[in-house]
Amino acid sequence: MKVLMCPPTHYDVVYEINPWMDTSNKPDPKKSYTQWKVLFDLYQRLGVEVELIDQVKGLPDMVFTANGGIVYKNMFVSGNYRYQERKGEEKYFQQWFVDHGFTVKTLTNFQGGEGDALFYRNTLYMGYGFRSDKAAHTEMKNVLGVEGISLRLIDPYFYDFDTTFCPVGDRGVLYYPKAYDKEGQARMAAVENAVAMTKEQAQHFIGNSVYVDEKLLVSFVDDDLKKKLAAWDVEPILLDMSEFKKAGGGIKCLTLYIER
Ligand code: ARG
């Protein structure tokens, strides 16, 4: 497994583009760095290869590399940010992927990178409604040549699909039904080994966990989650992500998968 991360050298909350963000509740820079570093070190210890991109001053959310785009084989499909506040990140992510030998593709419709698109068992599940347009899903499927499923997001607290949908390898997927419209809920209920998370788990960003070799990196755990994971022979590893929650982000947001 190989991922791209961005050390939080200029991370901050200076605007509000989702309901978690409050400019009067700023992240502590030291604590942010420590929390990020714990995740970075853990990845290395678990044998995950971590590549880094430098954070650009004036782009405080660039640490959430998941929104940069999505990688499939040798292609990087650049995210097309809806918010001007993050638009400036695009060229830096695109340059990084050019420099690392990827073919860079762009989309005409708004799309939130992996924040709104995740693979589960070779199907690309995509969210729309807040950061992405549904029309971007068709573009994405055509560019990548993959099967895809579209889900409409309806809760502003779960504005990015990757806060609602967490593939646990190929073993199963944890998802938050209430984040989707009725049609989306029905679709998800029919997905093989899809297990609903509770509201409390969702609010603690269990949807934003990352699976690595029989472990799930989480920022919250309770008995119910332990039981659900044990059924898949998966063990939770708890990390404190309080400073990133202040921007509406978590473990997965800080991680972009760059190998598939
Ligand atoms: N403050 C960021 C934003 O609103 C948080 C991004 C979280 N990223 C994610 N992949 N869910 O854009």
Side-chain angles (χ1 to χ4, degrees), residues 11-13 15-21 60-68 81 83 85-86 89 112-116 131 158-164 205 208 244-255:
Y11 168 60
D12 201 354
V13 172
Y15 48 76
E16 297 170 4
I17 56 172
N18 70 57
W20 304 95
M21 299 175 95
D61 273 333
M62 192 175 166
V63 294
F64 301 113
T65 51
N67 298 116
Y81 289 95
Y83 288 107
E85 287 87 341
R86 297 198 63 183
E89 297 174 27
E114 235 180 29
D116 261 340
R131 304 301 177 87
F158 300 96
Y159 58 94
D160 254 348
F161 181 63
D162 72 357
T163 61
T164 71
F205 276 3
N208 206 247
F244 297 100
K245 187 81 181 271
K246 292 176 180 172
I251 297 168
K252 177 62 194 73
C253 308
L254 296 169
T255 309

